[in-house]
Amino acid sequence: MRNSFDISAYFVVGPENTKGRPVAPIIKDVVEAGFTCIQIRSKTASARELIALVRQSADIIADAGRSNEVALLVDDRLDVVLAAREQGHKVDGIHVGQSDIPVEVCRKYLGDNAVIGLSAKTTELFDYVKTADVRQIDYFGAGPLHETPTKHDCGAGADGKILTRSFDDIAELTKLSPIPVVVGGGVKLADIPQLARTGVGGFFVVSAISEADEPKAEAGKLIETWKANSKRP
């Protein structure tokens, strides 16, 4: 998966993001709509709950015949990835922040073929992507494009103020980064045309789909709009 993963349409979700609805049916909608990357992220679910959700997600992707196309990742929880793999579930990798478990440790335990993503801190974004050792990571997560209630500290500086990123910032970041960049943080359908034209590797969304009345329809609109405007093939 590491040599063929696609971050162009990236969905992040956990039980706290779905307005009380089950997570698995929304993931099914997103996979069927054509999303290419699913990240399971929760700060409230237990390890066992996360493992169960990973299993359900892996089964959904397999049932859709897309196990070789859709990367299934877990946010931060190396223990969950390892436990799910031990139980025979296909989990393709992990996404971590700079203050989470080191990427070198993730690579050691997950192997050469795993996908490892890293969140680049907003306050030092440009310097970081120019100087970071990217040998062990496969993509940067960057943003926020807007302030977002799904992650209140996203983009927070030392003074607690939220620093968002303009489309010009994102275009510059894409040119500077030696690896693909996926951008999110409050991204909505209306943002997709201009975001796609920056040349960035992809977009990630949470509530734009997880809180939508019709998640599959919304996911389809996001995919169609991205493809219509992206500079990438």
Side-chain angles (χ1 to χ4, degrees), residues 120-189:
K121 288 182 179 178
T122 302
T123 52
E124 53 193 53
L125 190 59
F126 295 106
D127 286 340
Y128 188 80
V129 299
K130 287 189 293 186
T131 60
D133 181 351
V134 298
R135 288 175 294 178
Q136 302 297 339
I137 56 177
D138 302 298
Y139 72 88
F140 284 123
L145 190 62
H146 309 293
E147 291 191 43
T148 171
T150 60
K151 195 173 183 183
H152 296 285
D153 60 348
C154 184
D159 59 1
K161 292 182 179 179
I162 303 299
L163 175 62
T164 58
R165 288 298 177 184
S166 69
F167 292 109
D168 286 343
D169 286 344
I170 293 164
E172 181 181 354
L173 180 66
T174 300
K175 293 176 183 177
L176 292 173
S177 177
I179 57 176
V181 178
V182 60
V183 173
V187 170
K188 305 297 183 193
L189 179 61

Side-chain angles (χ1 to χ4, degrees), residues 18-156:
T18 60
K19 295 171 39 173
R21 297 177 292 183
V23 178
I26 297 176
I27 291 175
K28 185 174 186 293
D29 284 344
V30 166
V31 170
E32 291 179 349
F35 266 64
T36 57
C37 191
I38 307 294
Q39 182 194 127
I40 305 302
R41 182 182 78 187
S42 178
K43 302 303 181 184
T44 62
S46 69
R48 289 183 181 272
E49 289 170 334
L50 287 171
I51 294 166
L53 185 52
V54 167
R55 173 184 57 77
Q56 293 169 356
S57 302
D59 288 347
I60 288 165
I61 294 168
D63 289 345
R66 301 191 65 208
S67 292
N68 294 324
E69 303 167 29
V70 180
L72 177 58
L73 312 178
V74 177
D75 179 65
D76 189 24
R77 298 294 298 270
L78 180 60
D79 58 334
V80 169
V81 179
L82 293 172
R85 285 185 167 190
E86 182 68 20
Q87 293 179 5
H89 310 309
K90 184 178 183 292
V91 191
D92 299 296
I94 193 167
H95 183 92
V96 293
Q98 290 181 17
S99 60
D100 296 331
I101 190 168
V103 293
E104 294 81 5
V105 176
C106 295
R107 181 63 67 198
K108 175 181 177 180
Y109 283 96
L110 298 182
D112 292 338
N113 198 41
V115 177
I116 298 178
L118 178 68
S119 293
K121 288 182 179 178
T122 302
T123 52
E124 53 193 53
L125 190 59
F126 295 106
D127 286 340
Y128 188 80
V129 299
K130 287 189 293 186
T131 60
D133 181 351
V134 298
R135 288 175 294 178
Q136 302 297 339
I137 56 177
D138 302 298
Y139 72 88
F140 284 123
L145 190 62
H146 309 293
E147 291 191 43
T148 171
T150 60
K151 195 173 183 183
H152 296 285
D153 60 348
C154 184

